[in-house]
Amino acid sequence: MKKRISALQESMAAEGINAYYVTDPFNLRYISGFTGTSGTALITANNAYFITDFRYREQAKAQCAGYEIIIAGGSAAHTSPLRFVQSVVVNENLGQLGYEEEYMTVAKFDELEDIVSARLIPASGMIESLRQTKDQEEITTIQRACEIADAAFEHILGFIQVGMTEIQVANELDFFMRSQGASGVSFETIVASGYRSAMPHGVASDKVIEAGDIVTMDYGCYYKGYVSDITRTIAVGEPSSKMKEIYDVVFQANQLVNEQAKAGMTGEEMDAIARDFIASHGYGDDFGHSLGHSIGLDIHESPNASVHNKQPLKEYTVITNEPGIYLEGIGGVRIEDDIILTEDGNKVLTHSPRHLIIV
């Protein structure tokens, strides 16, 4: 964690902030390594404090390398977390305190403003910017989460059949991933069959899967704090010619991105690889979401592969490639991979078959 603390301190110096108060749970885990549910961190130019309560004393000592552990709050403590922050502000003569305004309620801000005498500077995004570039340990962990998702796809091919409900399929995916070492699911598993596959976020329902249905499964898991996110679309029985047609277009769009995406291109340029191809086949209006989003500790991280992102994508960003076509009342297809961007290309982390599988 010491390297991450130093990186944040460098960013703080560049922004003219001499202290930073971390409250977002994902940022807290990234900057401290803490996996508990009660804690904050205060980083100054020369020191790092992890503030928690008595319940997590031993855990914080074990996990938060590079931090002075402060026990505050609770019946056995002598001070509250914010009173401790104020004491550091006074002792270290801190003029400003950066805080994460995107993860602070009005009530919490009012309390911060009442207790802490430093000038409060809204500074969300500083740690998120560091999180964009994954180190080797993070990549290895995400790779394992992807391997579990791939194994779940192989498993579900032998499980799914006509007459099952979408919820049955979703539950089987979830339980299987846990059996392989996942701590939980990345998000509520999407299983959308038949006409419901035209719903990009059609979470599993009690709809029964029928012969000839296209079934889109979008799911992933948490493994050691990091996520995977995969989508595969299959057919249960022979699908219609229209669904085969749009499947082929989406498949080719996905493959083009896997072949061409690399660090240095903007999010807009990465998105355009798939979007322009889909539009050239007459389905531009039926691809209504962005191509992808970054993943890591959270399922939706910045940056995105989107028409709205004109910034270059950094090397070792892990981002999704998920083109789709959705025909209202008929059905839809999406194919999604997780890829690591490199200077000269990318590495695809999800390896489940992408060609149309009919079970």
Side-chain angles (χ1 to χ4, degrees):
M1 292 302 129
K2 293 181 181 179
K3 288 184 178 180
R4 295 179 181 178
I5 294 169
S6 295
L8 178 58
Q9 288 169 331
E10 290 176 9
S11 297
M12 289 161 51
E15 295 294 327
I17 299 173
N18 54 21
Y20 196 81
Y21 188 47
V22 186
T23 53
D24 176 87
F26 293 114
N27 286 342
L28 190 68
R29 177 159 184 167
Y30 178 82
I31 204 69
S32 72
F34 183 68
T35 61
T37 59
S38 177
T40 57
L42 177 64
I43 315 295
T44 69
N46 299 306
N47 296 301
Y49 307 95
F50 187 84
I51 310 163
T52 188
D53 62 53
F54 179 82
R55 296 171 299 167
Y56 295 102
R57 181 178 60 182
E58 296 303 316
Q59 182 176 343
K61 287 178 180 178
Q63 292 181 329
C64 303
Y67 285 82
E68 180 179 344
I69 307 303
I70 305 299
I71 304 303
S75 60
H78 300 295
T79 186
S80 70
L82 288 183
R83 293 292 178 190
F84 173 76
V85 172
Q86 170 61 8
S87 71
V88 175
V89 166
V90 173
N91 293 337
E92 298 190 20
N93 194 28
L94 303 176
Q96 312 91 21
L97 178 68
Y99 71 97
E100 298 175 307
E101 78 278 7
E102 293 182 7
Y103 194 79
M104 186 163 290
T105 64
V106 172
K108 288 290 185 183
F109 175 78
D110 288 345
E111 185 182 11
L112 181 65
E113 191 174 40
D114 287 344
I115 295 174
V116 177
S117 59
R119 182 163 63 92
L120 302 180
I121 300 174
S124 285
M126 292 183 69
I127 296 178
E128 287 88 341
S129 180
L130 299 177
R131 285 167 53 190
Q132 289 181 23
T133 300
K134 302 311 192 269
D135 62 28
Q136 188 54 57
E137 183 178 354
E138 290 177 294
I139 290 170
T140 299
T141 305
I142 294 170
Q143 175 71 77
R144 179 56 189 149
C146 290
E147 290 170 356
I148 293 172
D150 278 334
F153 181 70
E154 181 179 3
H155 171 75
I156 211 67
L157 290 177
F159 175 83
I160 192 170
Q161 59 184 296
V162 170
M164 288 182 173
T165 66
E166 295 170 349
I167 289 175
Q168 284 178 283
V169 175
N171 286 343
E172 187 67 18
L173 284 167
D174 296 353
F175 295 152
F176 180 85
M177 288 189 291
R178 285 183 177 274
S179 77
Q180 300 301 300
S183 60
V185 296
S186 306
F187 51 90
E188 188 172 358
T189 296
I190 293 169
V191 177
S193 62
Y195 68 90
R196 291 192 74 253
S197 61
M199 303 166 62
H201 277 190
V203 295
S205 74
D206 58 3
K207 179 190 173 299
V208 173
I209 296 170
E210 302 175 33
D213 273 357
I214 282 284
V215 182
T216 295
M217 295 172 287
D218 186 346
Y219 62 95
C221 70
Y222 266 100
Y223 177 76
K224 294 185 177 179
Y226 285 81
V227 304
S228 56
D229 186 3
I230 185 174
T231 305
R232 291 295 185 264
T233 301
I234 66 171
V236 180
E238 190 69 22
S240 69
S241 58
K242 173 58 74 172
M243 296 310 297
K244 286 183 177 180
E245 175 191 336
I246 67 170
Y247 191 99
D248 185 60
V249 175
V250 172
F251 170 78
Q252 291 186 65
N254 169 271
Q255 291 299 98
L256 282 173
V257 175
N258 283 348
E259 292 166 3
Q260 298 179 23
K262 63 181 181 179
M265 65 172 44
T266 67
E268 182 181 34
E269 289 169 339
M270 181 173 164
D271 178 275
I273 297 170
R275 192 167 304 281
D276 291 351
F277 180 83
I278 290 172
S280 73
H281 285 75
Y283 292 104
D285 292 340
D286 303 304
F287 178 23
H289 56 75
S290 64
L291 175 67
H293 55 89
S294 295
I295 64 171
L297 288 166
D298 198 0
I299 189 60
H300 288 103
E301 296 191 351
S302 183
N304 292 333
S306 159
V307 295
H308 304 294
N309 182 15
K310 303 185 187 302
Q311 299 300 312
L313 299 169
K314 296 178 181 180
E315 192 171 19
Y316 303 121
T317 294
V318 182
I319 196 164
T320 65
N321 163 23
E322 48 182 307
I325 295 174
Y326 311 92
L327 306 180
E328 187 175 354
I330 299 173
V333 172
R334 181 166 66 258
I335 303 172
E336 176 185 20
D337 287 310
D338 300 335
I339 64 177
I340 304 171
L341 301 180
T342 61
E343 186 177 359
D344 57 357
N346 67 79
K347 178 182 178 182
V348 182
L349 297 178
T350 40
H351 301 295
S352 295
R354 298 171 189 86
H355 63 274
L356 178 60
I357 295 174
I358 301 174
V359 296

